[in-house]
């Protein structure tokens, strides 16, 4: 929850804008500022104070304790010009919140954390628990000193400019080891603990068994990702409380599903009680991976709890990112975040050039030229299978005539896939033209490099007969100059010569050009591969130089007196 505190009318107005935009994320604290800050500090994980920074610092000073536990605080000035990350930039989430608040209020985010200022991912922002000399190793990275990275398993980390060797070390491990004086340990969520328990098993017995099993196996409790058990034990108080104390989710499976898992130590007791010969081992193995700790019982007499531990492999991450039509302000915040998140970036060279300034230090860029789409897709999937965080970029929306299709055709369920939508060329062109897509519409590519022309023509004819607005992608190139005239001729069989046609070249880019003509008046020779052509339906009109396709509401056609 985000606590909102203000002391003036102007601050309250900005505060109320945040509260209205984020009703489920925020809570307004009224009353004197000091009392409001103290209450919000105790009850919320982040605060936004619409106060002077000096006043906020004085109010916060007596409350500050541990930066790992204190809430993040963002301070917004009286004029709403700046959103300052004041306290808890990384651990408290204030840096991220400052950007969110600034975007919503139209303010300038002010983030002074050294790694953020240098464009580096902070070691405490990689999404994994970090132990050891975080400040010293971060300072070494900032100073350009070589920092080695040692990973005992692959994990999809954000980019960090690690070196092959160095006197400073970042180690990814789930083993219970102590960091050296120049070392940071990153704890991946790689351990799944399967748990079984008799009815009424106390949480102390369940939790004690888990901690003992991990300790004897030399494993870190901070790498436990989840507890797992059978559905019948989903509400068992001792198991539920153990998961809460460890701060991990409790995952449950049907007994029949667990019964199908091959385990080394089946038993008749759980089979009779809950319908599966194994709970702890089967639930842990259900996540996939290596069984590190076979089923073991607690030391109590009688033993009321069992557990088993599995190390699951890291899953690579493939983000398929749409960059939009070209203008930077049409690149979505989610797309920008994924570009910063990726340790490997794969894309067409000219698209990489568009966003090169957003790529963080340490990101490995794999770029290639036109015509290598399938190769780029295979490369991106292969990198993700190696355990990396990969961004595969495409223009517009990556799922529309772009990279998502070949990549997902190549990918299997051994990697995580994230789709990031983008503004398509058809939408960008439509916004320039007016409202040509106000009713049913279809996009058709006229490139017959991968699709036979007979199929393309059949689709154009179907759209023509159905009276659907058509947007043509890839309309004409030097080697393909007859397809667009042929497609227009097919449409002309079903539409009047005066049907509005919009032609937009390089939509949203500095050299954008657009015009509205007619089906009979369009000269195909003026169109190239950077152009989108939108042909209206029989209801589309040219109104004040803009293409408008009515939505077709009944009232538009009703008699005057019936409206």
């Amino acid at each position: 929850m985000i606590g909102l505190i203000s002391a003036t009318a102007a601050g309250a107005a900005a505060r109320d804008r945040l509260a209205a935009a984020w009703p489920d994320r925020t809570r307004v604290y009224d009353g004197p500022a000091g009392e409001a800050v103290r209450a919000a500090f105790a009850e919320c994980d982040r605060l936004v104070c619409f106060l002077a920074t000096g006043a906020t610092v004085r109010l916060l000073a007596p409350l500050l304790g541990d930066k790992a536990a204190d809430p993040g605080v963002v301070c917004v000035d009286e004029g709403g010009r700046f959103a300052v990350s004041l306290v808890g930039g990384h651990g408290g989430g204030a840096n991220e919140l400052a950007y969110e608040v600034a975007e919503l209020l139209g303010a300038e985010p002010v983030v002074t954390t050294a790694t953020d200022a240098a464009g580096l991912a902070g070691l405490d922002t990689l999404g994994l628990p970090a132990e050891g000399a975080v400040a010293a190793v971060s300072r070494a990275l900032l100073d350009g000193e070589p920092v080695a990275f040692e990973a005992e398993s692959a994990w999809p980390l954000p980019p960090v400019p690690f070196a092959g060797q160095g006197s400073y070390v970042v180690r990814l491990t789930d083993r219970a080891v102590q960091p050296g004086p120049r070392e940071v340990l990153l704890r991946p969520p790689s351990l799944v603990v399967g748990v079984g328990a008799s009815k009424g098993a106390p949480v102390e017995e369940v939790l004690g068994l888990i901690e003992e099993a991990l300790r004897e196996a030399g494993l870190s409790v901070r790498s436990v990702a989840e507890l797992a058990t059978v559905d019948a034990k989903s509400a068992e108080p001792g198991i539920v409380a153990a998961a809460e104390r460890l701060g991990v989710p409790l995952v449950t499976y049907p007994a029949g599903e667990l019964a199908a898992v091959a385990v080394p130590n089946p038993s008749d007791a759980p089979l009779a009680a809950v319908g599966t010969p194994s709970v702890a081992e089967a639930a842990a193995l259900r996540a996939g991976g290596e069984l590190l700790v076979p089923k073991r019982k607690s030391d109590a007499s009688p033993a009321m709890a069992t557990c088993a531990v599995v190390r699951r492999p890291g899953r690579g991450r493939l983000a398929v990112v749409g960059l939009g039509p070209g203008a930077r302000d049409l690149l979505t915040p989610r797309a920008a975040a994924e570009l910063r998140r990726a340790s490997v970036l794969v894309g067409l060279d000219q698209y990489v050039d568009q966003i090169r300034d957003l790529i963080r230090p340490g990101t490995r860029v794999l770029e290639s030229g036109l015509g290598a789409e399938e190769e780029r897709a295979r490369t991106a999937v292969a990198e993700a299978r190696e355990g990396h965080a990969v961004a595969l970029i495409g223009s517009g929306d990556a799922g529309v005539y772009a990279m998502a299709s070949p990549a997902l055709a190549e990918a299997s369920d051994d990697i995580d896939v994230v789709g990031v939508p983008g503004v398509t060329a058809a939408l960008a062109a439509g916004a320039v033209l007016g409202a040509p897509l106000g009713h049913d519409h279809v996009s058709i590519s006229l490139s017959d490099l991968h699709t036979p022309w007979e199929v393309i023509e059949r689709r154009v004819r179907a759209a023509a007969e159905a009276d659907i607005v058509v947007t043509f992608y890839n309309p004409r190139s030097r080697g393909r100059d007859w397809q667009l005239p042929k497609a227009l001729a097919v449409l002309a069989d079903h539409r009047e010569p005066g049907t509005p046609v919009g032609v937009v070249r390089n939509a949203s880019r500095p050299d954008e050009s657009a015009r509205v003509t007619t089906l009979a008046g369009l000269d195909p020779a003026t169109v190239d591969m950077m152009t989108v052509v939108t042909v209206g339906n029989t209801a589309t009109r040219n109104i004040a130089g803009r293409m408008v396709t009515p939505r077709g509401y009944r009232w538009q056609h009703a008699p005057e007196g019936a409206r």
Side-chain angles (χ1 to χ4, degrees), residues 10 14 28 54 82 86-87 125 172 204 220 284 296 312 314 322-323 355-356 369 400 408 426 434 443 503 533:
V28 173
F82 302 103
L86 193 65
V87 173
T125 66
L172 181 80
E204 290 77 12
S220 172
R296 58 179 295 168
R312 64 183 182 186
L323 300 180
I355 47 85
R356 202 176 291 276
V400 179
L408 299 192
S443 295
V503 181
V533 177

Side-chain angles (χ1 to χ4, degrees), residues 87-177:
V87 173
H90 286 166
N95 289 354
E96 178 184 355
L97 181 60
Y99 286 110
E100 290 187 87
V101 170
E103 183 178 2
L104 185 60
L105 298 181
E108 183 75 20
V110 179
V111 175
T112 58
T113 312
T115 50
D116 293 85
L120 296 175
L123 296 177
D124 51 354
T125 66
L126 299 180
L128 303 180
E131 304 172 14
V134 174
V137 176
S138 296
R139 188 165 52 250
L141 285 167
L142 288 167
D143 291 343
E145 296 188 44
V147 177
F149 180 62
E150 299 174 1
E152 295 177 3
S153 61
W155 211 265
L157 293 175
V160 180
F162 293 125
Q165 293 182 334
S167 58
Y168 294 88
V169 177
V170 174
R171 187 164 18 145
L172 181 80
T173 179
D174 58 17
R175 294 187 296 112
V177 294

Side-chain angles (χ1 to χ4, degrees), residues 299-555:
D299 293 333
S301 183
M304 300 184 71
T306 60
C307 82
V309 182
V310 160
R311 175 186 285 140
R312 64 183 182 186
R315 289 173 61 87
R317 186 176 190 274
L318 173 63
V320 187
V321 181
L323 300 180
R328 177 55 61 84
D329 59 355
L330 292 182
L331 175 74
T332 67
R334 187 180 299 180
E338 287 295 343
L339 297 178
R340 293 191 296 270
R341 169 78 171 76
S343 61
V344 180
L345 181 76
V346 182
L348 179 66
D349 48 13
Q350 64 190 57
Y351 297 153
V352 173
D353 288 340
Q354 291 179 22
I355 47 85
R356 202 176 291 276
D357 60 304
L358 297 178
I359 302 172
R360 273 181 161 163
T363 303
R364 186 156 46 93
V365 179
L366 306 176
E367 53 189 308
S368 53
L370 286 168
E373 288 81 7
E374 293 182 358
E375 178 186 345
R376 284 194 292 275
R378 286 192 295 269
T379 296
V381 171
E383 290 288 339
R385 285 185 175 139
E386 291 293 321
H388 300 299
V390 182
L392 175 63
I393 61 173
S395 67
D397 183 285
V400 179
Y401 300 125
M403 295 304 302
S405 294
L408 299 192
E410 187 76 20
S412 52
D413 62 359
D414 56 345
I415 61 173
D416 295 325
V417 176
V418 177
V420 181
V423 178
T424 67
L427 294 178
V432 172
L433 295 170
L437 310 181
H439 208 292
D440 296 338
H441 54 275
V442 63
S443 295
I444 298 176
S445 171
L446 294 184
S447 173
D448 55 359
L449 297 179
H450 299 288
T451 304
W453 173 253
E454 294 75 16
V455 174
I456 296 173
E457 183 175 354
R458 187 165 67 246
R459 292 170 180 172
V460 174
R461 193 173 306 281
E465 293 173 350
D467 196 26
I468 296 175
V469 175
V470 181
T471 296
F472 289 125
Y473 279 69
N474 306 312
R476 185 175 181 273
S477 67
R478 292 179 180 177
R480 296 185 301 101
D481 58 1
W482 59 268
Q483 287 87 346
L484 179 60
K486 179 64 174 177
L488 295 174
V490 172
L491 290 173
D493 290 340
H494 299 269
R495 299 180 193 180
E496 296 296 326
T499 299
V501 175
V503 181
V504 181
R505 188 177 190 277
N506 284 334
S508 86
R509 300 186 183 187
D511 57 345
E512 170 189 288
S513 64
R515 68 185 189 277
V516 177
T517 180
T518 64
L519 190 56
L522 174 61
D523 179 4
T526 63
V527 173
D528 62 12
M529 285 290 287
M530 306 304 293
T531 305
V532 172
V533 177
T534 301
V535 182
N537 65 12
T538 56
T540 304
R541 297 291 180 266
N542 184 332
I543 302 176
R546 304 181 185 92
M547 281 183 73
V548 180
T549 301
R551 294 184 65 181
Y553 286 138
R554 293 176 182 173
W555 61 263

Side-chain angles (χ1 to χ4, degrees), residues 34-353:
E35 295 178 9
V37 167
R38 284 191 293 272
F41 195 92
E43 298 171 357
C44 298
D45 54 5
R46 289 181 290 178
L47 281 67
V48 179
C49 297
F50 295 86
L51 307 167
T53 53
T56 306
V57 168
R58 285 191 294 273
L59 292 173
L60 289 172
L63 307 176
L64 297 175
D66 182 352
K67 75 173 188 176
D70 289 340
V73 180
V74 170
C75 196
V76 179
D77 66 291
E78 181 76 5
R81 296 171 301 167
F82 302 103
V84 182
S85 175
L86 193 65
V87 173
H90 286 166
N95 289 354
E96 178 184 355
L97 181 60
Y99 286 110
E100 290 187 87
V101 170
E103 183 178 2
L104 185 60
L105 298 181
E108 183 75 20
V110 179
V111 175
T112 58
T113 312
T115 50
D116 293 85
L120 296 175
L123 296 177
D124 51 354
T125 66
L126 299 180
L128 303 180
E131 304 172 14
V134 174
V137 176
S138 296
R139 188 165 52 250
L141 285 167
L142 288 167
D143 291 343
E145 296 188 44
V147 177
F149 180 62
E150 299 174 1
E152 295 177 3
S153 61
W155 211 265
L157 293 175
V160 180
F162 293 125
Q165 293 182 334
S167 58
Y168 294 88
V169 177
V170 174
R171 187 164 18 145
L172 181 80
T173 179
D174 58 17
R175 294 187 296 112
V177 294
Q178 293 300 312
R182 292 188 168 194
E183 185 176 48
V184 170
L185 302 181
L186 297 179
R187 300 299 192 183
S190 54
L191 304 179
V192 176
V193 180
V195 182
S198 302
K199 185 176 181 180
V203 61
E204 290 77 12
E205 182 175 345
V206 176
L207 193 58
L209 172 63
I210 294 171
E211 292 173 344
E212 181 183 6
L214 293 171
R215 184 170 54 253
E216 292 185 3
L219 300 171
S220 172
V221 69
R222 300 193 73 184
S223 279
V224 174
E226 62 190 40
L227 299 191
T229 191
V230 67
D231 280 351
K233 296 296 179 180
S234 61
E236 185 62 43
I239 296 178
V240 173
E244 290 175 351
R245 292 194 191 181
L246 290 170
V248 299
L250 175 63
V251 178
T252 65
Y253 300 101
E257 197 169 314
L258 295 185
V261 178
V263 297
N265 299 292
S267 173
D268 293 334
L271 180 61
V274 294
T276 173
S278 173
V279 173
E281 285 182 340
L285 286 166
R286 176 62 180 75
E290 176 189 4
L291 183 64
L292 301 180
V293 179
K295 182 182 73 174
R296 58 179 295 168
K297 297 180 180 180
S298 58
D299 293 333
S301 183
M304 300 184 71
T306 60
C307 82
V309 182
V310 160
R311 175 186 285 140
R312 64 183 182 186
R315 289 173 61 87
R317 186 176 190 274
L318 173 63
V320 187
V321 181
L323 300 180
R328 177 55 61 84
D329 59 355
L330 292 182
L331 175 74
T332 67
R334 187 180 299 180
E338 287 295 343
L339 297 178
R340 293 191 296 270
R341 169 78 171 76
S343 61
V344 180
L345 181 76
V346 182
L348 179 66
D349 48 13
Q350 64 190 57
Y351 297 153
V352 173
D353 288 340

